[in-house]
Amino acid sequence: MAGVTVQTTRSGDQFTVPFNAVDNLLVAGQIAAAVSQGVADGHLVPSSSLNGPPPTVPAGGDGVYFQQTNGLTFLPSAYGAVVNTATDATIFGSGGTNESVLSGNGNLTFVATGGSGTMVGGGGSNSILVSPSDAGAWFIAPGNGNNKILALGAGADTIQAGAGHNTVLLGSGSDQLTLTGHDAVTASTGNDTIDATAAKSTSVNGASANITFLGGAGAVTVLGGTGSDTFFGGQGRAVVHGGTAGNNLLIAGAGAATLFGGGSGDQLYASGGNPQSLIAGTGNETLSAAASFGAVSLHGGSGNDQLVGGFEPNTFVGGSGHATMTGGFGADSFDFIKGSAGGTDLIVNFNSSDKVVLRGYGPGAIENALDSQRPGSGSVTITLSDSTKITFSGISSLKSSEFG
């Protein structure tokens, strides 16, 4: 087990703060060194829970409190640092700026009553609360236990949740999260960046925030809420819903992925070689498999959508809007489902290896579609029984062999 050593008296007494979270040792060492130096030179006035609650610090002084026993502590405003080695403690911060909170591998509940600062833990199951009224910026790294982090303030917080099973709630600030465990994140109204490239699994509820998300090998679920989101997928399975504010940029990684558009201006991109699905929402959206070498399904929505195929066989699914479907280099399938279609669609680059598939239209659907053909200028249009209109650019007529 690792740890950091802290000087507790001017005469040189010290103890070790035990640490399981090796990733936090660098920052923990910096806090320990600053506390030790402050105690040694008299800048920090030390006191310990072994001797009772934190005493009043002399005027103009700055205190450091050593929480060495279990229990509840309220830090007076003059305390700028606290070091916790208890196995189960609850500490209310002093509310000052640049507070330092160093905790070992016990269970800590820390409440930031205001101000700003750094909280670093060495393990345990910790609960960290930054109140909604706190506009200060906090660095929060509680270690590799199962942590609850409620960073509800308006400050720009930096959070390293740890390798355990963590719950993170965010406030209205612009927060930066680095995730390495099994994490559930609920945003609020801020502009948040989530780095999950080393996470094991992640779920995100975007609420009204604007989310930028970086995925890795872990499975990911993102519900965009009412904001606008940017998503870069990794190797893990991903299910992503863009925010309803639109202008979402959702780019799948190498893993299997299902991307849902949220509003107008969305761009959804498939990539890699695994099966992926791109599903348009209510706005005008672009769905592209041009960078993919896998089987991709592209689903039109209720808006004016652009659907672009890739190198492998793709499946295009018509919606209720006005979609332009551009076939790729593979043998593509253009599917229309009664009850889900009803739009007016344009198919470009329909070639001899492609097929039109009519689902749910009943017996005789192909014959009826062929009978409905109407030639245009360099195109032909068919009408289905649910009023779906499909125009094929670059061909003058369809044959029954072109239906699947």
Side-chain angles (χ1 to χ4, degrees):
M1 179 185 299
V4 292
T5 300
V6 181
Q7 183 170 330
T8 59
T9 65
R10 294 195 69 181
S11 60
D13 296 329
Q14 60 185 26
F15 61 62
T16 298
V17 181
F19 251 66
N20 297 334
V22 176
D23 293 345
N24 292 349
L25 274 175
L26 177 60
V27 178
Q30 293 170 347
I31 294 176
V35 168
S36 297
Q37 183 62 46
V39 170
D41 62 20
H43 172 69
L44 289 176
V45 179
S47 59
S48 170
S49 64
L50 294 174
N51 300 317
T56 301
V57 176
D62 193 5
V64 56
Y65 190 67
F66 298 103
Q67 183 80 39
Q68 296 175 268
T69 57
N70 296 344
L72 173 64
T73 295
F74 293 88
L75 292 177
S77 59
Y79 281 79
V82 59
V83 179
N84 174 55
T85 57
T87 58
D88 195 353
T90 298
I91 301 173
F92 284 74
S94 65
T97 58
N98 299 319
E99 285 186 71
S100 294
V101 182
L102 175 59
S103 184
N105 58 8
N107 301 327
L108 172 66
T109 296
F110 177 77
V111 180
T113 58
S116 59
T118 298
M119 183 278 153
V120 177
S125 294
N126 303 293
S127 296
I128 312 301
L129 170 62
V130 179
S131 68
S133 61
D134 189 344
W138 283 86
F139 177 87
I140 302 171
N144 293 334
N146 299 324
N147 302 302
K148 296 179 181 178
I149 303 171
L150 285 67
L152 305 179
D157 299 321
T158 300
I159 299 169
Q160 298 176 1
H165 291 75
N166 306 300
T167 300
V168 182
L169 276 64
L170 302 176
S172 58
S174 297
D175 301 317
Q176 305 278 334
L177 281 70
T178 300
L179 306 179
T180 56
H182 301 277
D183 303 296
V185 179
T186 299
S188 180
T189 59
N191 298 299
D192 303 314
T193 299
I194 301 174
D195 181 351
T197 53
K200 299 176 180 69
S201 66
T202 309
S203 65
V204 178
N205 183 342
S208 298
N210 299 319
I211 303 293
T212 298
F213 186 94
L214 308 176
V220 175
T221 300
V222 177
L223 304 178
T226 59
S228 294
D229 304 311
T230 300
F231 174 86
F232 298 96
Q235 299 81 29
R237 177 184 56 81
V239 177
V240 182
H241 295 254
T244 58
N247 295 313
N248 299 288
L249 175 62
L250 310 179
I251 303 176
T258 302
L259 309 182
F260 294 87
S264 194
D266 290 354
Q267 301 177 65
L268 282 62
Y269 295 94
S271 65
N274 278 304
Q276 297 178 344
S277 296
L278 310 179
I279 303 173
T282 58
N284 304 328
E285 304 180 29
T286 298
L287 284 60
S288 176
S292 172
F293 292 88
V296 179
S297 61
L298 304 95
H299 301 248
S302 59
N304 298 321
D305 300 322
Q306 299 287 329
L307 281 59
V308 180
F311 292 93
E312 296 296 323
N314 300 137
T315 299
F316 295 80
V317 181
S320 60
H322 301 268
T324 298
M325 307 177 183
T326 302
F329 296 96
D332 297 321
S333 175
F334 296 86
D335 292 17
F336 298 88
I337 305 170
K338 189 172 184 178
S340 299
T344 301
D345 301 312
L346 172 65
I347 296 177
V348 180
N349 197 32
F350 186 82
N351 58 53
S352 59
S353 63
D354 297 335
K355 297 291 183 183
V356 179
V357 178
L358 307 180
R359 303 186 185 277
Y361 288 93
I366 295 175
E367 291 77 6
N368 293 334
L370 291 171
D371 290 342
S372 73
Q373 292 186 87
R374 296 292 183 269
S377 178
S379 64
V380 64
T381 299
I382 62 174
T383 302
L384 306 182
S385 61
D386 61 353
S387 299
T388 298
K389 293 184 181 297
I390 311 166
T391 298
F392 297 79
S393 178
I395 61 176
S396 58
S397 64
L398 291 170
K399 303 182 292 293
S400 60
S401 61
E402 293 171 316
F403 288 78

